[in-house]
Structures are given as C-alpha cells and as structure tokens.
C-alpha cells in the first residue's frame, strides 16, 4: 500500500525494510518483488536486519515487526516476547532517524510497545509517536453502519478509548447519521454491550477463522493512521497517543487511545467531550489494564 502511493500520493519514497536475521532471505525476496512491481514512486528499496542502519534519516516509521498472537492468547501475553524489540527500535530512532520522524506502532501490544519506544528515544518528543487504534475504529464503524443499514460514509465520528485489547471502549455517544443522533437508529445498550464486545473480540475472531492475525485491514488502517499523523483529516478520530497532557484524568505516562483532532497542524487530544458514567467505568478498566502492562515492562523504560 505504501509502495503503490497510498501514503504520500505522487511523492517519491525510499523504502527501508527491516527484518530479523532469521528472515533475511525472505526480505531479499520481497525486495525483488517490489522491484518487479515497477512502482512509479518508489525511488529506493533498502533491506536489512540492523535498525541502526535502516532507520538512518527516515521520515516515518511503521513499527509492525513483532511476534503475533495465536488462537486463545491475549495481546498482552506478547509483552515479554516483544518488549525488547521496541526498546532497541526506540534507541535506533533516537540515534539515527530524522529529528522530526513520525512513528506508528502496530506490533502488539501496540500501546505499551509504543510507550517503550517513547521512553527509549529521549531526544524525540512523545508527540512524534502513536499507536494504532484506527483498526478498532474502522471495525466499530463497519459494525455500526451494518446494524443501522447505512454506508460507513454516512456516519460521523466513532472513537476508541484506551488499550488495543479486549478492554477497549467504543464511544459512539456523539455519533450522528446525516445529522441525526445514532441512538435514533440503534439501541444504546446494543452499542455499549454487543457492539463494544464485537470490536474488542474482532482481532481474536479473525485469528480463529484465518489461523493468522489480520493483515489487510491492519495495513489499510496503518496507512490511514499515518496520514492522520500528518493532519490530513478535519474530523475527530482515534489515535493511541502519549497521555501526558490529557484533560480526561488518565494516568499521564501511558499510550492511550483518545478522540483526537488536528490543531494548528499537529494532532491533539480532543477536549471537552462529555462521557457517560457507563463509558467512564469502562474507560477506567482499560486504563487499569495499561497500568498493569506498564508495570510488567518497567525494566524496559530506562
Ligand atoms: C488485530 O486486532 O487484528 C491485531 O492487533 C492482531 C491481534 O492480535 O488481534
């Protein structure tokens, strides 16, 4: 998707593709295939296994490389296996990437992996980092649109609070369909319960059916999220961001998905949203889970 121009339409790009040493032959093979695609906008393809070499002077980073979860696992069970990857990659970004690099963490558990990368990149601003919650937002929009019998484009914003996990919180309280409250079309309790649970479990459902975790939908939402980091959207959207200046009372040293918007050319947490008691209770649970995840990898925070 990146090579075919979905990320920066009409701009030349240099792709630097990082793999682990065990898969160095596969990444060479991928490079050959990308060359054979003869994409008009791909000016350079570099592959390798050393982030300190591959991250040199990069403008954007998609941190997707991590051990994926299998059937029956929760994403947080990957913390010990994947935490070291994000420590090293955070250090490499800090030392060799451009000083205004933008980083999207996709590898799971993405919120806490993003926190690890932030802590290991002290010369970069935490605002340059985000974790993916666009996939959950897209899942919620698709489920809600189907239930309401409308197209996704007819829905206004739907946002995700918290962790990319089975505690995430779908917020459609202020969502409208062509200007009318969503609650005129679907039942509020369906939104708070069934819909929320379906989004929470969608990743696991895909793994059960496919035998592998999501790929196409994760890729599409990653490109969409990176474009959002460049402030290309004039809407309210979901993004996992560092919580240090959040106005909602969430622990400040977490990467937490909030409703965000673009403010003077950079993304910011959307202020002043009214949150129902029912949603607030769920938001506190997802916050607690992220605090527990942080405690489990405290040694990687430097
Ligand atoms: C997803 O939500 O599909 C991905 O985060 C993969 C997973 O483990 O669920």
């Amino acid at each position: 998707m990146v090579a075919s121009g979905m990320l920066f339409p009409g701009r030349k790009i240099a792709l630097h593709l990082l793999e682990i040493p065990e898969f160095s032959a596969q990444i060479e093979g991928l490079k050959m295939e990308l060359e054979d695609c003869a994409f008009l906008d791909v000016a350079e393809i570099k592959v390798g296994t050393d982030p300190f070499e591959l991250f040199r002077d990069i403008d954007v980073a998609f941190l997707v490389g991590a051990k994926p979860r299998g059937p029956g696992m929760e994403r947080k069970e990957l913390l010990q296996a994947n935490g070291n990857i994000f420590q090293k990659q955070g250090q490499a970004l800090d030392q060799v990437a451009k000083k205004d690099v933008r980083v999207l963490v996709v590898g799971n558990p993405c919120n806490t992996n993003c926190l690890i990368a932030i802590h290991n990149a002290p010369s970069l601003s935490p605002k340059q980092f985000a974790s993916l919650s666009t996939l959950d937002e897209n899942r919620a929009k698709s489920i809600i649109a189907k239930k309401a019998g409308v197209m996704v484009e007819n829905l206004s914003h739907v946002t995700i609070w918290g962790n990319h996990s089975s505690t995430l919180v779908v917020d459609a309280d202020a969502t409208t369909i062509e200007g009318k409250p969503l609650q005129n079309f679907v039942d509020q309790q369906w939104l708070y319960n069934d819909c929320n649970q379906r989004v929470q479990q969608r990743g696991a459902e895909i793994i059960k059916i496919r035998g592998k975790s999501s790929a196409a939908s994760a890729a599409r939402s990653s490109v969409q999220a990176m474009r959002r980091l460049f402030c290309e959207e004039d809407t309210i959207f979901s993004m996992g961001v560092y919580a240090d200046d959040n106005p909602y009372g969430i622990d400040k040293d977490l990467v937490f998905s909030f409703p965000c918007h673009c403010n003077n050319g950079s993304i910011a947490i959307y202020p002043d949203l009214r949150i129902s008691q029912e949603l607030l209770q769920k938001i506190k649970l997802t916050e607690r889970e992220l605090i527990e995840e942080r405690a489990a990898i405290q040694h990687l925070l430097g």
Side-chain angles (χ1 to χ4, degrees):
M1 286 179 188
V2 172
S4 67
M6 270 182 65
L7 180 59
F8 299 122
R11 288 184 63 185
K12 299 282 180 240
I13 54 169
L15 285 175
H16 290 197
L17 308 174
L18 176 73
E19 249 303 356
I20 48 174
E22 291 88 314
F23 290 99
S24 48
Q26 280 83 345
I27 198 73
E28 281 296 340
L30 176 61
K31 178 181 179 206
M32 287 161 67
E33 283 218 71
L34 282 166
E35 286 166 356
D36 296 349
C37 289
F39 285 118
L40 298 182
D41 293 332
V42 176
E44 176 193 72
I45 308 169
K46 248 192 197 176
V47 299
T49 58
D50 180 3
F52 290 88
E53 195 187 318
L54 272 275
F55 288 179
R56 183 162 301 283
D57 292 333
I58 58 170
D59 297 288
V60 304
F62 289 92
L63 303 188
V64 297
K67 182 178 171 194
R69 70 172 163 150
M73 287 173 79
E74 287 292 335
R75 296 183 188 92
K76 63 184 165 201
E77 289 172 47
L78 300 167
L79 258 186
Q80 301 307 336
N82 290 336
N84 293 325
I85 298 177
F86 294 87
Q87 182 183 39
K88 186 166 173 195
Q89 294 188 356
Q91 290 163 353
L93 288 164
D94 188 56
Q95 289 177 34
V96 300
K98 288 229 179 100
K99 283 298 163 212
D100 60 354
V101 64
R102 279 170 228 211
V103 184
L104 180 72
V105 179
V106 178
N108 281 315
C110 60
N111 300 59
T112 300
N113 288 338
C114 185
L115 184 73
I116 295 172
I118 289 173
H119 275 264
N120 284 281
S123 73
L124 305 176
S125 160
K127 290 199 187 313
Q128 292 169 245
F129 291 79
S131 73
L132 183 70
S133 57
T134 316
L135 178 56
D136 303 306
E137 178 189 312
N138 286 344
R139 287 170 170 163
K141 281 182 174 162
S142 160
I143 291 168
I144 292 171
K146 208 163 166 188
K147 178 83 172 174
V150 299
M151 304 285 287
V152 169
E153 65 177 349
N154 300 121
L155 292 177
S156 71
H157 66 276
V158 174
T159 49
I160 305 295
W161 295 84
N163 201 2
H164 173 57
S165 78
S166 53
T167 63
L168 66 82
V169 183
V170 176
D171 184 352
D173 277 3
T175 305
T176 55
I177 294 181
E178 293 179 332
K180 301 192 191 78
L182 179 61
Q183 290 75 12
N184 292 6
F185 299 80
V186 297
D187 178 61
Q188 180 79 29
Q189 285 310 314
W190 174 84
L191 280 168
Y192 280 177
N193 299 310
D194 301 24
C195 173
N196 204 57
Q197 278 159 23
R198 282 194 62 196
V199 180
Q200 289 173 337
Q201 293 304 327
R202 186 65 170 183
E205 208 185 328
I206 304 268
I207 292 170
K208 202 164 154 208
I209 305 264
R210 253 171 55 85
K212 285 181 177 175
S213 61
S214 61
S217 54
R220 140 90 176 142
S221 43
S222 299
V223 170
Q224 204 180 349
M226 185 59 85
R227 289 181 62 115
R228 286 173 168 177
L229 293 183
F230 283 84
C231 266
E232 295 210 340
E233 248 182 69
D234 186 21
T235 53
I236 301 179
F237 53 81
S238 321
M239 192 69 75
V241 294
Y242 194 56
D244 60 345
D245 57 1
N246 85 88
Y248 295 104
I250 299 297
D251 185 299
K252 290 179 181 306
D253 189 24
L254 294 177
V255 173
F256 197 90
S257 180
F258 289 99
C260 291
H261 68 146
C262 284
N263 190 15
N264 294 325
S266 49
I267 80 163
I269 297 170
Y270 193 86
D272 302 331
L273 283 172
R274 286 187 45 208
I275 308 173
S276 70
Q277 273 309 316
E278 207 163 337
L279 280 192
L280 196 59
Q281 276 176 8
K282 292 180 196 281
I283 289 171
K284 284 286 154 199
L285 279 182
T286 194
E287 178 191 25
R288 192 180 314 152
E289 182 181 49
L290 280 168
I291 292 172
E292 284 165 13
E293 286 187 18
R294 183 181 63 201
I297 50 78
Q298 198 66 44
H299 58 292
L300 298 177
L301 297 183

